[in-house]
Amino acid sequence: MAESWRSNDKRGVFQVKYSIILLLIAAFFITGLAGCATDWGGRRNSSAISRYVAGDAASAWEAVDQAIMGIRVKEKNVEKGFLITDWIKGYSTTRDMGLLLEGRWQERYRLYITVVPEQDRTYLSVSSQVEEKAPGGSRAYRWERIPSNGMPEQMFLDKVEQILNAKE
């Protein structure tokens, strides 16, 4: 009688061990898949704002060059119709550490500008890549992508339109 109890006990222990291992593997895959889903389907890292402006592509490029005066350009290709600025650094206007800790979050963005000529007008599209860095702790050593609020893109397009309207 004692022998049959021990053999049943061993089978039960093996079943519990295998069940635990299978649960751990399943949990690993589920969290891995959930992580992928939030990375791809979570927050947007850029927002694009676009407009049609009157005039040809040459005048649009001239206005873009004037609007980015003082900002370093990482890459520009007029034939393909795109321009990428270098990082523009500043401080976050929405995040701070409070009165006691007195820290300021750093923020930077990069503009992606597209200029596409059409018949009697030009299509301008501006998107940005925004990153922030905490003032302290382990997050102070790395930039993290955040969604754009649309302000850098809007300000740049407004500036280009002002330059084009001043020429007319």
Side-chain angles (χ1 to χ4, degrees):
M1 184 86 155
E3 284 297 318
S4 66
W5 176 77
R6 286 185 183 154
S7 64
N8 286 341
D9 187 38
K10 288 181 182 178
R11 282 190 223 149
V13 170
F14 285 125
Q15 288 177 351
V16 170
K17 285 182 183 178
Y18 287 127
S19 298
I20 291 172
I21 290 171
L22 287 175
L23 284 173
L24 289 174
I25 291 172
F28 175 75
F29 282 116
I30 289 172
T31 56
L33 293 175
C36 290
T38 56
D39 286 343
W40 290 103
R43 301 186 285 179
R44 286 181 22 190
N45 288 332
S46 68
S47 65
I49 297 178
S50 56
R51 293 185 193 154
Y52 284 98
V53 293
D56 60 343
S59 60
W61 273 114
E62 191 175 311
V64 166
D65 288 338
Q66 287 180 13
I68 62 166
M69 187 88 52
I71 300 171
R72 290 191 335 202
V73 175
K74 181 179 177 185
E75 189 174 351
K76 179 179 178 181
N77 191 328
V78 177
E79 291 80 30
K80 292 184 179 178
F82 73 90
L83 181 139
I84 302 170
T85 66
D86 204 359
W87 290 107
I88 304 161
K89 295 182 181 179
Y91 290 101
S92 176
T93 57
T94 59
R95 296 185 74 164
D96 61 6
M97 291 295 287
L99 294 173
L100 296 176
L101 299 176
E102 294 187 20
R104 294 187 70 188
W105 288 71
Q106 294 182 39
E107 196 171 275
R108 68 181 183 177
Y109 65 92
R110 172 184 286 161
L111 294 175
Y112 295 88
I113 303 159
T114 306
V115 178
V116 179
E118 293 195 2
Q119 294 172 0
D120 58 342
R121 57 189 182 172
T122 304
Y123 175 77
L124 280 175
S125 177
V126 180
S127 63
S128 69
Q129 186 178 34
V130 183
E131 296 181 346
E132 71 179 3
K133 186 164 50 167
S138 63
R139 293 181 60 199
Y141 297 105
R142 66 179 181 272
W143 290 97
E144 293 182 20
R145 294 246 171 103
I146 61 171
S148 174
N149 61 4
M151 290 303 296
E153 300 93 340
Q154 189 71 41
M155 289 172 40
F156 181 78
L157 273 179
D158 289 344
K159 192 172 183 179
V160 170
E161 275 192 338
Q162 288 175 356
I163 292 169
L164 287 171
N165 289 338
K167 288 183 180 183
E168 293 178 357

